[in-house]
Amino acid sequence: MKITVIGTGYVGLVTGACFSKMGNKVYCVDIDSSKINGLKNGILPIFEPHLGTMVRNGQEKGDLVFTTNIQEALDDSNIIFIAVGTPMAEDGSANLDYIFSAATDIAENISQDSLIVVKSTVPIGTCFKVKEHIDNILTERNINIHIDIASNPEFLKEGRAIEDCMHPDRVVIGAEKEEVFETLKDLYSSFVLNHDRFVLMDIKSSEMTKYVANAMLATKISFMNEIANICEVTGANVQQVRLGIGSDKRIGYDFIYAGCGYGGSCFPKDVQALIHTAQVNGYEPMILSNVEKVNLNQKKVLVNKVVDRFGSDLNGQTFGIWGLSFKPGTDDVREATSLVVITSLIDKGAKIKAYDPEAIDEFKRTIDEKYLDSIEFTKDRYSATENCDGLILITEWKEFRNPDFELLKENLNEYVIFDGRNIYDKKITQRGFELFQIGC
């Protein structure tokens, strides 16, 4: 098949690369010429394992084309995926400017009957508004072109996006016509050869499914973080509680690890968007509102533990930070706990040494410039602990799991570790360390 993917951000780039891997001709379109030129030269705008190799191979075989010329792409394809960003607006709603900009570009350049598939995460009813928007422009152009619309939400986990795309546990398709379902089933058939994993539904239900999936996972995380806080004040151990409930197949082990809060591009904005959707339709979502509040408070837990140990005046104190990205396997720092922890500590007078294997550059671009003078970024994990008064682990990259504790003793002024992801065994206290964890 010949496909156009509009948007070369996280979703668009991964989706386009994976479609091309299956032998389809894919045009990835973006208005950012510097990004497109970079991709043509193998320079990716994001870090994602295995994506670089797939992008290079796709271009070498001619199956993957990066371009700013949308007309060129649309002339040679009749399935068009919209995969642009829908960032959170100030009121918590989804900003759809990029969606309708893409829809306008399609309407002004399309030359044949096409299927338009919204891959982006959008509020319920957006697909129909996109179709109406395009139809209106086509009418103004006095061109008789028929378009169909579909919803096909993504369920990619950063750090494992290629695996999720190539081997999806389900493919959700929202459409109005049987022929649209069949077209998209044909497109995805090579991804689901072993099992029929298609979940077919109406368009609005498909749009809602994406939000509910992320909200459910965010709820599990926030619920377990609240349980962790209760464990701390009662003397229970959340790690043992996790094993006790995770073995219940109705609950499972995924997303029940207590920690210092969730972040990223999806959970925060999608929970906010679902709250906003409920409110504008006259319903106050108490559970979702408190999921968000629990998470915001959880990002401050490590700061509170530092203050409890060192006092509220941190002038003269330096802390080493391990991990800046919101999760391992990505350079994404959007809504990352590291931003809250580091800025809060600096506001209290502390200095910071920070290391992350992938996210340092993104962190520098994201954090308020006024804090940069108080942060030293290091090239390796142990340099970030030299002459520090404590180590704070925020992101559980694998290289942090089994450190050289004797070297840490040499580097740290005080043998104090704040473990924000509960990855260390309490036995390290027998080696002279103070260990502060979440809920245990």
Side-chain angles (χ1 to χ4, degrees):
M1 294 184 177
K2 294 184 177 180
I3 302 162
T4 290
V5 178
I6 300 177
T8 57
Y10 196 90
V11 174
L13 187 54
V14 170
T15 300
C18 290
F19 279 151
S20 72
K21 177 73 173 178
M22 292 302 191
N24 300 290
K25 178 68 173 288
V26 180
Y27 292 88
C28 285
V29 180
D30 202 293
I31 61 173
D32 188 337
S33 58
S34 62
K35 184 188 290 187
I36 291 296
N37 289 333
L39 285 163
K40 288 180 177 179
N41 291 290
I43 301 172
L44 273 63
I46 58 171
F47 170 76
E48 180 65 34
H50 313 301
L51 180 58
T53 300
M54 190 174 287
V55 166
R56 287 190 294 272
N57 290 345
Q59 291 189 91
E60 289 172 1
K61 294 177 181 179
D63 293 330
L64 186 59
V65 178
F66 294 103
T67 181
T68 58
N69 188 337
I70 190 170
Q71 185 173 0
E72 170 197 6
L74 297 184
D75 284 346
D76 195 39
S77 58
N78 60 2
I79 302 179
I80 306 162
F81 281 83
I82 297 178
V84 297
T86 54
M88 184 168 58
E90 289 185 4
D91 63 356
S93 64
N95 183 334
L96 299 179
D97 289 349
Y98 298 119
I99 292 287
F100 285 101
S101 177
T104 299
D105 289 341
I106 292 170
E108 291 178 347
N109 291 279
I110 198 168
S111 59
Q112 58 185 317
D113 293 351
S114 299
L115 168 60
I116 297 171
V117 185
V118 178
K119 195 82 174 166
S120 304
T121 302
V122 294
I124 294 79
T126 300
C127 284
F128 292 117
K129 293 178 182 178
V130 167
K131 186 178 187 305
E132 181 182 18
H133 181 78
I134 294 174
D135 283 338
N136 288 340
I137 295 176
L138 291 175
T139 299
E140 292 173 4
R141 290 179 63 196
N142 196 27
I143 294 179
N144 186 22
I145 292 176
H146 175 77
I147 65 165
D148 285 308
I149 195 81
S151 167
N152 174 222
E154 53 84 19
F155 300 97
L156 306 178
K157 297 185 291 293
E158 294 190 36
R160 295 186 60 186
I162 297 299
E163 180 180 348
D164 288 343
C165 190
M166 297 296 288
H167 307 285
D169 55 10
R170 82 284 202 200
V171 178
V172 173
I173 301 171
E176 296 183 288
K177 299 179 180 178
E178 187 62 33
E179 54 264 36
V180 173
F181 284 126
E182 292 304 317
T183 297
L184 291 176
K185 285 173 69 176
D186 286 345
L187 176 60
Y188 278 106
S189 61
S190 54
F191 294 88
V192 293
L193 290 176
N194 294 333
H195 303 281
D196 184 357
R197 297 175 179 173
F198 294 108
V199 183
L200 310 181
M201 59 185 69
D202 65 87
I203 289 176
K204 286 188 175 181
S205 295
S206 175
E207 292 169 329
M208 178 65 89
T209 294
K210 169 62 179 181
Y211 280 114
V212 174
N214 280 348
M216 183 69 240
L217 298 177
T219 300
K220 288 183 73 174
I221 293 172
S222 288
F223 176 78
M224 284 307 296
N225 281 334
E226 188 157 86
I227 295 302
N229 296 332
I230 297 172
C231 284
E232 282 200 16
V233 298
T234 60
N237 186 313
V238 75
Q239 294 286 66
Q240 295 178 28
V241 172
R242 177 180 61 82
L243 294 174
I245 67 168
S247 55
D248 185 331
K249 63 182 180 181
R250 299 168 300 173
I251 298 173
Y253 288 106
D254 291 339
F255 293 88
I256 60 169
Y257 290 84
C260 50
Y262 62 74
S265 62
C266 295
F267 288 6
K269 78 176 183 67
D270 290 353
V271 170
Q272 273 272 5
L274 194 51
I275 291 170
H276 182 269
T277 296
Q279 290 173 337
V280 297
N281 284 279
Y283 180 78
E284 188 60 42
M286 291 184 289
I287 293 175
L288 287 175
S289 296
N290 282 289
V291 165
E292 183 186 27
K293 290 177 183 176
V294 168
N295 188 58
L296 292 174
N297 289 333
Q298 200 67 20
K299 292 182 179 182
K300 302 173 185 176
V301 166
L302 285 175
V303 177
N304 295 337
K305 290 180 181 294
V306 171
V307 169
D308 288 344
R309 171 60 176 77
F310 289 94
S312 57
D313 183 359
L314 298 177
N315 280 288
Q317 306 283 350
T318 301
F319 296 96
I321 301 290
W322 277 2
L324 300 171
S325 58
F326 85 93
K327 63 179 280 188
T330 180
D331 61 350
D332 195 343
V333 301
R334 285 173 288 184
E335 303 292 333
T337 297
S338 61
L339 292 165
V340 174
V341 172
I342 288 174
T343 56
S344 297
L345 293 179
I346 292 173
D347 286 341
K348 296 180 184 298
K351 298 290 185 181
I352 300 295
K353 288 187 176 182
Y355 168 75
D356 187 287
E358 295 292 343
I360 289 176
D361 290 340
E362 281 299 315
F363 188 87
K364 290 179 180 178
R365 284 191 283 266
T366 303
I367 195 171
D368 191 315
E369 289 184 2
K370 70 179 183 180
Y371 292 103
L372 288 174
D373 288 342
S374 298
I375 308 171
E376 176 186 343
F377 297 96
T378 67
K379 294 182 178 180
D380 65 84
R381 60 192 185 276
Y382 293 112
S383 296
T385 65
E386 292 177 353
N387 295 315
C388 288
D389 299 293
L391 168 63
I392 303 171
L393 182 138
I394 298 177
T395 314
E396 65 276 31
W397 288 90
K398 289 182 180 178
E399 66 181 83
F400 301 148
R401 291 182 180 273
N402 292 295
D404 183 337
F405 288 107
E406 293 307 311
L407 180 55
L408 286 179
K409 276 189 172 183
E410 293 178 16
N411 288 351
L412 292 171
N413 297 328
E414 297 193 50
Y415 308 154
V416 183
I417 298 176
F418 298 91
D419 177 8
R421 299 297 175 184
N422 292 348
I423 69 172
Y424 296 129
D425 193 304
K426 284 192 175 293
K427 290 179 181 178
I428 68 170
T429 59
Q430 299 173 10
R431 305 171 71 168
F433 285 93
E434 292 179 63
L435 179 64
F436 297 89
Q437 295 183 301
I438 310 293
C440 52

